[in-house]
Amino acid sequence: MKKLLSLAVASFAMAAVAVPFSPTIGVTQVTTTNKNTIVAVPFNSLADGGNMSVTNLVCTNGLDNGTHIYVFKGGKYKAWTLDAANGWTALDTVSGNSDLAVPSAGDDLVASPGAIWVVLPSAPVEAKTFSIYGQYAAITETTITTGANNLVANPLQSKAVVGFTGNPVRGDAIIIPQDGTPESYTYGKKGWTSDGASATLPNIEVGQGFWYVCNSTSTVTKVTWTPVTP
Amino acid sequence: MKKTIAVIFALLSAAVFAGMNDLLITFSTPGVDKYADGKEVLEGERYALFFTDAEGKLGEEPVLVYRTKAAGRCTPVLFIIDEKVAEEKYKDGTWGVYLLDTRDFEKNANGDELADDPEVGEKLEYSVKALATDAKTIVKKSMDSASATVAVSSDSFDIPKPTVTAIKVEGAYVYVTVKDIVPCLEYTLKSGSDVQNFAVPEGVEKDASSTVKEITLAVPKKEGAQFFKVTTK
């Protein structure tokens, strides 16, 4: 058989291409001993890097049926419940609680660094661990709305020291929920106090948070988060 | 019939070592490519990539032989050579693409039919490490390389960033579902306990898609925060 080996006269393009990387994905384990836990939304959507749906944020593995997620929007709580067959399912009827409202389209989306509530069916006998995940975003501060109750949570992947941009004023308060009486800190002449005694604000665990009650005269515009150094 | 051999360099181009030190090369021709007799190149014709070393010695064997998917041009092809092989065999040289005229003049006097070419076929029996599954074997039929870790073809090679569509944490593993992948290109997960340092964890295997649009990769779960990137190396 005859062979003819000839030249491709046409020009051709040759180029090196970069090794492709996906955006950075974060998986954070949240451990709680409480039935009610404020949980951070430190990530963005896997799909488009935009606001995160809470139904995608909280991994269902490790959680029991009847666990609830609450999003605080428009002064109302919107809830999703964990159903074994269907995963996170929006509560479609609400009665007997004026603080609750049926979720509307888009209510499941929370901008990072936001926060939500995770409410277990009962207080765990042993510490409960579950995972949140999404597209990593480098976040070190949370914007505060003056004159409002702000649900904030530690967006870092480590225990964090709480700081502020601006100055707290008398009447500002931090309320860290826990089963039973919450852990409260109020700001006054002596600075931060707890049960009337001067206090240092506690470090906040990974993925967890608190209410920041911001007085209308407060100049706090942001809560800042700094990793606890070992 | 008398054998005629004509070899002309189309273009030489220095290879560039891409990120992570694997050598990634794409090539194509805009067309219309023609044989020496002026006829348009047939669909399925072979294009060969040769390496010429720093002393100007042309490789005795092609690094890659590719059957084009369109008439008149070399459709885009990408291949990756492991960094160690690239360093050992393809350093400080240049690359050239050749059109191999494998038309069967004995079967067809007009030369408008490609030969089922046993001679060339034997010559091109190179191993391709990445080819294992049936789907990948299909790729192997149209592309052979002595050195490529993986070789794929496509309409274009703007390699998309892989997109993570879902994560599951089950038992001792984190499962990551990935889309926007190039078929047959191997993907893996790099993991780290912070966002600065990533490495492929021990025991994690690469995976590649053949025809499906998504793959799922698994990595051992660790305590605390864990970060991942999906990549091809």
Side-chain angles (χ1 to χ4, degrees):
Chain A
M1 184 183 297
K2 179 176 179 175
K3 299 288 172 287
L4 181 67
L5 184 65
S6 71
L7 164 68
V9 180
S11 63
F12 73 98
M14 177 180 281
V17 293
V19 173
F21 281 96
S22 71
T24 301
I25 307 303
V27 177
T28 302
Q29 291 187 321
V30 179
T31 301
T32 182
T33 55
N34 293 317
K35 178 180 178 182
N36 302 278
T37 307
I38 293 177
V39 172
V41 182
F43 301 125
N44 293 325
S45 166
L46 289 174
D48 57 11
N51 291 345
M52 184 70 164
S53 170
V54 294
T55 60
N56 292 329
L57 173 75
V58 182
C59 182
T60 58
N61 293 91
L63 293 174
D64 299 316
N65 271 1
T67 299
H68 285 76
I69 293 174
Y70 290 91
V71 172
F72 190 61
K73 273 196 174 179
K76 299 278 188 182
Y77 286 105
K78 316 293 174 70
W80 287 259
T81 187
L82 181 56
D83 176 270
N86 302 307
W88 294 113
T89 306
L91 286 185
D92 56 4
T93 55
V94 171
S95 63
N97 189 334
S98 60
D99 292 333
L100 271 177
V102 173
S104 302
D107 278 348
D108 60 317
L109 300 175
V110 178
S112 62
I116 60 175
W117 284 91
V118 172
V119 179
L120 306 177
S122 59
V125 177
E126 297 180 345
K128 188 81 169 177
T129 297
F130 56 95
S131 299
I132 56 176
Y133 53 77
Q135 190 177 122
Y136 169 75
I139 300 166
T140 57
E141 55 190 27
T142 305
T143 299
I144 294 297
T145 303
T146 304
N149 297 339
N150 295 267
L151 191 60
V152 299
N154 173 12
L156 307 184
Q157 307 306 313
S158 60
K159 202 169 187 176
V161 177
V162 177
F164 302 97
T165 299
N167 298 308
V169 298
R170 186 175 181 180
D172 279 9
I174 285 177
I175 302 170
I176 303 173
Q178 55 191 9
D179 291 349
T181 306
E183 187 178 347
S184 297
Y185 299 83
T186 55
Y187 197 82
K189 287 183 180 178
K190 295 190 226 175
W192 290 106
T193 61
S194 181
D195 293 330
S198 292
T200 300
L201 294 178
N203 297 329
I204 303 300
E205 293 290 341
V206 172
Q208 300 191 27
F210 53 80
W211 284 105
Y212 188 79
V213 180
C214 188
N215 194 294
S216 60
T217 59
S218 176
T219 62
V220 170
T221 57
K222 289 174 180 173
V223 169
T224 59
W225 309 93
T226 306
V228 171
T229 49
Chain B
M1 195 179 291
K2 188 175 180 180
K3 179 180 284 190
T4 303
I5 299 178
V7 180
I8 310 170
F9 284 96
L11 179 67
L12 297 177
S13 173
V16 178
F17 287 84
M20 308 307 296
N21 296 324
D22 266 4
L23 180 61
L24 285 78
I25 293 178
T26 67
F27 63 85
S28 63
T29 65
V32 177
D33 298 348
K34 293 180 178 179
Y35 295 110
D37 60 8
K39 288 188 175 181
E40 184 175 324
V41 167
L42 297 172
E43 178 182 345
E45 185 56 276
R46 293 180 174 97
Y47 285 80
L49 181 72
F50 279 84
F51 179 75
T52 301
D53 66 22
E55 297 174 351
K57 184 181 178 184
L58 180 68
E60 293 182 359
E61 295 178 340
V63 178
L64 183 88
V65 174
Y66 169 65
R67 286 181 191 261
T68 183
K69 293 181 175 179
R73 65 189 178 93
C74 177
T75 47
V77 57
L78 169 147
F79 72 105
I80 300 174
I81 299 175
D82 182 85
E83 60 180 298
K84 291 180 182 175
V85 177
E87 180 68 18
E88 290 171 5
K89 298 176 65 176
Y90 305 120
K91 189 180 180 183
D92 299 330
T94 56
W95 299 86
V97 172
Y98 299 76
L99 168 65
L100 305 182
D101 188 341
T102 63
R103 288 175 294 177
D104 192 335
F105 291 92
E106 290 184 349
K107 285 184 179 176
N108 184 328
N110 296 322
D112 54 6
E113 183 177 315
L114 293 177
D116 180 12
D117 194 334
E119 186 174 332
V120 172
E122 290 171 12
K123 196 176 180 182
L124 296 176
E125 282 182 357
Y126 304 123
S127 63
V128 179
K129 288 190 289 185
L131 303 182
T133 68
D134 291 340
K136 289 173 184 170
T137 303
I138 293 171
V139 175
K140 188 176 186 300
K141 287 177 181 174
S142 64
M143 193 181 324
D144 296 272
S145 171
S147 301
T149 296
V150 62
V152 296
S153 67
S154 169
D155 291 335
S156 68
F157 274 107
D158 292 330
I159 299 179
K161 282 186 177 180
T163 302
V164 175
T165 58
I167 300 172
K168 282 184 179 178
V169 182
E170 289 183 351
Y173 287 88
V174 177
Y175 297 90
V176 177
T177 304
V178 187
K179 71 170 186 178
D180 295 335
I181 55 177
V182 176
C184 298
L185 197 57
E186 287 186 315
Y187 289 84
T188 191
L189 274 176
K190 290 198 166 190
S191 174
S193 57
D194 60 53
V195 295
Q196 304 300 326
N197 300 294
F198 287 89
V200 178
E202 189 175 345
V204 170
E205 295 186 355
K206 292 183 176 183
D207 197 7
S209 155
S210 51
T211 57
V212 297
K213 303 292 185 184
E214 289 188 341
I215 55 174
T216 297
L217 302 166
V219 63
K221 184 179 72 175
K222 291 186 174 178
E223 295 297 320
Q226 205 170 357
F227 300 92
F228 305 100
K229 279 178 182 288
V230 179
T231 183
T232 54
K233 177 171 175 68

